[in-house]
Amino acid sequence: MRRRKTDYGTIILHWLVVAATIVAFVTGLRIASESPDRNWLNWLDAVLPSANVWVPHMEAAVVLVAVAVGYAIYMIRSGLTRRIVLDKVRLKGLIGRKQARFGSLSVLLVWIFFATMLTLIVSGGLLYFGLAAGYDVITVHWYATWVIPAFAIFHVFVHYAIGKSSQLLRVFRPDRVPPPPPRLDAVELLTMLVEKSPELQNSSKAPLQPDQPQPQDPARAPRETTRPPNPRPTMQQSSKKPAPRRTKPRNMTLQANPFVVAAAVAISGAWAVVAADWLVEDNMVIHRVAVADAPVLDGDTSDPVWRNIQPFSVMTNQGDNFDGRGESKIDIRAVHDGTWAYFLFTWEDPTRSLKQLPLIKQADGWHMLHDGYEKGDEHAFNEDKFSVLFTTLDVHLAGDRTFHASPQPIANAPATMTGRGLHYTPGEGVYADVWQWKATSGGPTGWMDDDHFGPPLEPTPQQVNRTVPYKGGFAPDPGSANYSDNFVFSDDAASGSRIVTPRRLPKNVATTTAAMGQITLDPNVGESDGARWFMMESESDPYSPERDRRIPVGTVLPGVIIAGDFTGDRADVRCAARWASGHWALEVARRLDVQSEYDVPLKTGVFMRVSAFDHTQIRHTRHVRPIRLEVE
C-alpha cells in the first residue's frame, strides 16, 4: 500500500486545532457543569479539570482564533483551496461512486466543522465581552459544542473509508509544502498565441505529398530549366545567425513560504485578540460627591445623585429560574463621599420571592416546604438574593482564584452534596469580600450580610457525616446576624423519619397570616407588595404543644425569625431594597475601608463581581469578566 503523506503545514495546523479543541471542550464542560440541570456532567469528573478552568478555556479560544486565521491564509497562499472546494462536482459526488462519495462527504464535513467553529468563536466572544451574554447565545454555544465530538467521529470514519489506515496515518507523515501553481499572465499567453499562429498557418498551407507520382500531360508539363548549384556561402553570410526569440520571463515573483506567512498572520491575530481583551477592560467609576449629596438608603432610585450617573450594565447568565432563562441584566451605579461608598444595584427579576422555607401544618404535623434544601441546593422555596464579591487578587478572570469546580475539589475534604464546586481562596490570609442581600433574612431590616471566601475550613463532624453541606472557604465575617431559621429537626425512632418542629409560634395567627399577604404555595408566584415572610421575636412565643394544638391544620408560618441586630464585622454593610415592575432596586452603603482582614478596601484596582438569585439558594447568575473599580 502506498504511504500517503501530507504537507507539514497542514499537519502542524491540524494538531494545533486538535489540542486547542480538546482543552476548550473539557474546560467548557466543567464550566457548564455549574449550570442548572447539568449535574450529569459530573459523570466525567475524572477527566474534567477542577482548577484554573476559565483561563485555559480562554487561552484555547485564542489559539483557535489564531489557527483559523492562519489556516485560511495558508490554504490561499499554498494553492490548496482545491482540497476543500465545495462546488457542483463535489455535491454531485455525494450520490456517485464510493470513492467520490466519501471524498465529497469529507469536504462537506470540513465545511460543517468550519461553520461550527465560527459559531463557537463568535458566540464565545459575545459571551466573554458581554456584548450578547443572554440565554439564546449560551444555548447556541452549548449545542454547537456537541457538534465537535460528532464531527471528530465522522471525520475519522470517512477518512478510513477513503484510504484505510494509510489515509489516517498521513497526518503523522510530513511532506514538503507543495509550490503554488503558476499565476496566469494574460500578456504572456497572448504572446505565445501570436508566436504560435504563423506556425499553424504554415502547416495548414503545406502541399500534400502524394503517395505515388501521378501521370502528367506532356503538353502541360512545365519546361525543364536548369539551375546552377547553390554558391558556397561567404564568411559574412555564414556568420549571420537567426536572432533569438525574446520571450517574457515567467514566474519571477519571489514566493514566500506559505506556512511562514500563515504563522506570522496567525500570531498577529492572536496578539490582536489579547490586546483587545486588555483594551476593552470593564472599568466602573465610583464617583466622588459631596457629603450633602449622598443618597438616602430607602430603595428609591429617584435620588438626584443616581439620576446624574450613567449606569454600568452587565448581563449575567447561567442561573436558575428567571422565567426559565436563567439570565438577568444588572445595572450598577456607585458614588463615595470620601468616607462612605454607596451603590445602587438594579436587576431584572420577574417575581418578588419572599418564601424562605415556610412551614405548613398538616394532619400529621408540621412540614417544611422545600426542594433541595437537604443537600444545600434549595431552588424552589427560597428568598430572592443578590451577591457582590470584591477581590484584590491580581488576575483578569477573578473567579478562577475564588471558585473551584468539581464535586470534590479538595482531596482531603468532604465531597459536595450538590455535585457542584466550592468557593475558597488559594492561601492563608487571602480573603475575598462577599456581600449578600436577602429578601427576607435580614434585608428588610436594613442589613446586608457581610461574608467572605477564605482558605478551606476544617470540616465539622456533621459535614464529614454529610448531614450538612461542606462549604469550603465560605463563611460569615465575625459577629452575629439578626435572623435565624424557624424550625428544628429531630429523628423519629419509630419511623426513622425526620420530624420538623417550629422554634416559635405566632402570638396571633391571624395577624401573622395577614402580614404574609396573599398566600400562594407556588414558588414561581411572587408575593404582594408590602408582604413579609418573617416573624419578629416580639410577636411570637417559643413552641409549646399546648399552643400548637390551637393552630388549625393548613396554617402556613414563616420560616425565618428576626431578633436583634447585626453585630461585629458582619454588620459593616447597610442596605434598603424595593421591587417594582419586574425589577429589584437595592441601595447599599459601606465605609471605603473598614479595617478588617476579612474585608476588601474599596479603591482603584479592586475587582468586583455581581450575581442575582431568583428564589434559589446557590444557583445564581454570573458573568465572565470581572469589573475593575476606579475610585475618584
Side-chain angles (χ1 to χ4, degrees), residues 86-136:
L86 190 62
D87 52 13
K88 292 183 179 180
V89 176
R90 284 264 168 71
L91 292 176
K92 289 181 179 179
L94 292 172
I95 56 176
R97 294 182 179 180
K98 177 181 178 181
Q99 197 70 9
R101 185 167 65 251
F102 281 113
S104 298
L105 184 58
S106 175
V107 175
L108 180 61
L109 284 173
V110 168
W111 280 101
I112 291 174
F113 176 76
F114 290 163
T116 303
M117 291 305 300
L118 180 62
T119 301
L120 288 170
I121 290 173
V122 172
S123 60
L126 294 174
L127 291 171
Y128 179 75
F129 289 105
L131 301 175
Y135 172 82
D136 295 330

Side-chain angles (χ1 to χ4, degrees), residues 185 187-188 191 246-250:
D185 191 323
V187 175
E188 183 180 356
T191 303
R246 300 180 64 184
T247 59
K248 182 180 178 181
R250 303 176 184 177

Side-chain angles (χ1 to χ4, degrees), residues 231-242:
R232 187 183 182 121
T234 65
M235 291 294 293
Q236 184 178 3
Q237 291 174 336
S238 63
S239 63
K240 292 182 179 180
K241 296 181 180 179

Side-chain angles (χ1 to χ4, degrees), residues 12 16 31 78 90 109 254 301 309 346 403 418 544 568 585 632:
I12 294 174
L16 280 175
I31 293 170
S78 62
R90 284 264 168 71
L109 284 173
L254 180 63
T301 62
I309 295 177
T346 57
F403 178 77
T418 63
S544 66
E632 288 185 347

Side-chain angles (χ1 to χ4, degrees), residues 418-471:
T418 63
R420 307 181 71 178
L422 293 171
H423 286 287
Y424 58 89
T425 56
E428 292 295 330
V430 179
Y431 295 97
D433 198 359
V434 180
W435 304 349
Q436 276 202 88
W437 170 83
K438 301 175 181 179
T440 294
S441 304
T445 59
W447 302 93
M448 197 168 180
D449 220 334
D450 196 0
D451 308 312
H452 63 266
F453 298 149
L457 300 171
E458 287 294 326
T460 65
Q462 293 81 4
Q463 292 170 340
V464 173
N465 296 331
R466 296 175 62 83
T467 55
V468 297
Y470 177 63
K471 296 184 178 181

Side-chain angles (χ1 to χ4, degrees), residues 345-349 351-354 384 437 439 577-580 582-586:
F345 303 100
T346 57
W347 69 96
E348 300 170 334
D349 189 335
T351 56
R352 178 198 286 110
S353 302
L354 308 177
D384 286 342
W437 170 83
R578 291 187 184 182
W579 184 93
H583 290 78
W584 277 107
L586 171 66

Side-chain angles (χ1 to χ4, degrees), residues 282-287 306 309-316 329-335 342-347 386-390 435 586 588 608-611 623 625-629:
D282 294 334
N283 293 320
M284 192 194 76
V285 178
I286 302 181
H287 300 275
W306 299 135
I309 295 177
Q310 182 68 26
F312 180 91
S313 299
V314 58
M315 175 61 76
T316 61
K329 180 184 176 184
I330 301 174
D331 291 336
I332 311 169
R333 297 173 176 86
V335 298
Y342 301 88
F343 294 86
L344 171 61
F345 303 100
T346 57
W347 69 96
F386 189 83
S387 178
V388 187
L389 177 146
F390 298 97
W435 304 349
L586 171 66
V588 181
M608 178 176 72
R609 289 181 176 275
V610 290
S611 301
H623 53 101
R625 290 162 59 89
I627 304 165
R628 184 178 180 275
L629 299 183

Side-chain angles (χ1 to χ4, degrees), residues 49-65:
S50 60
N52 296 326
V53 177
W54 277 104
V55 171
H57 188 75
M58 298 308 166
E59 291 174 342
V62 172
V63 172
L64 288 173
V65 171

